[in-house]
Amino acid sequence: MATSDAGRLAELVRASPWLMRALRAARDLGLADWCIGAGAVRGLAWDALHGFESKPSALSDIDLAYFDAADLSPDREAALQRRLASAHPDLPWEVTNQAAVHLWFADHFGYPVEPLRSLEAAVATWPEYATAVGVALNADDSLRIIAPFGLDDLFGMTVRRNPARASAEIYRRRVADKRYRERWPRVTVIHE
């Protein structure tokens, strides 16, 4: 990942009051390994690149991904989500323990997956390369950026399927559901 891209993303994150508030709230949970990522980060970047800062895209959710192989209980996820919703009810939280994804993935998507080994490995399975980006706020207020495929697709406004977990059919459905080009006209969608 080019340092300039990481710096550029850090500037966008720091300039976003809602995302900085969300990052502080997530950090306050005391999780060992976590990030906010996917659509929240992608939307922030693409809104900025389209000049939509004054009227940002609607935020469907704030994906808080964490990794805790010692506690795979859905009750823990639910408790964390309740804490965040109680402290910040105006933010649409979605909390997922990436260490537990293999326990529900087949029921939700129709095929099983292997257990993930780390938060970075989890981010590397997210459906598009531009979406496979997470940001965490460290104790010293520095930002940790997780971008296993770099930030070229994010800043190049390119939607490209990550074959690690998203089938071509799931990708086609996501592209249709997310309406990327309608929301961000300068985005390029790579069709397979």
Side-chain angles (χ1 to χ4, degrees):
M1 159 178 28
T3 304
S4 60
D5 285 345
R8 200 169 158 196
L9 180 57
E11 284 178 23
L12 290 174
V13 169
R14 290 200 182 281
S16 170
W18 69 263
L19 185 49
M20 287 303 297
R21 187 163 53 99
L23 287 166
R24 285 186 196 96
R27 180 179 64 187
D28 289 347
L29 294 174
L31 298 166
D33 201 11
W34 64 274
C35 70
I36 289 176
V41 173
R42 179 203 60 231
L44 176 76
W46 288 359
D47 279 352
L49 293 167
H50 278 79
F52 296 165
E53 295 95 343
S54 63
K55 190 173 186 219
S57 301
L59 189 62
S60 61
D61 58 26
I62 297 175
D63 290 300
L64 170 60
Y66 71 98
F67 194 88
D68 183 358
D71 186 349
L72 303 180
S73 164
D75 293 340
R76 172 106 189 278
E77 285 180 4
L80 292 168
Q81 189 154 324
R82 280 193 304 275
R83 278 180 61 190
L84 291 168
S86 175
H88 301 277
D90 59 317
L91 297 176
W93 297 101
E94 178 79 29
V95 178
T96 306
N97 182 358
Q98 299 295 302
V101 166
H102 67 284
L103 299 175
W104 54 262
F105 194 91
D107 288 340
H108 192 76
F109 291 105
Y111 58 95
V113 295
E114 292 294 317
L116 296 162
R117 302 285 178 227
S118 68
L119 183 62
E120 290 80 5
V123 173
T125 68
W126 292 355
E128 300 94 22
Y129 295 134
T131 306
V133 178
V135 179
L137 186 64
N138 296 317
D140 66 358
D141 283 342
S142 64
L143 293 173
R144 173 184 174 213
I145 296 173
I146 301 170
F149 304 106
L151 298 170
D152 289 348
D153 278 6
L154 180 65
F155 285 111
M157 294 183 287
T158 302
V159 178
R160 180 187 333 263
R161 179 174 75 99
N162 176 2
R165 188 160 288 168
S167 69
E169 177 57 31
I170 288 172
Y171 174 71
R172 280 191 292 279
R173 272 188 270 142
R174 277 185 58 84
V175 167
D177 292 347
K178 299 288 184 183
R179 303 178 357 262
Y180 295 120
R181 293 277 322 212
E182 194 176 311
R183 293 166 68 192
W184 298 285
R186 293 177 31 224
V187 163
T188 299
V189 176
I190 307 294
H191 296 282
E192 298 186 355

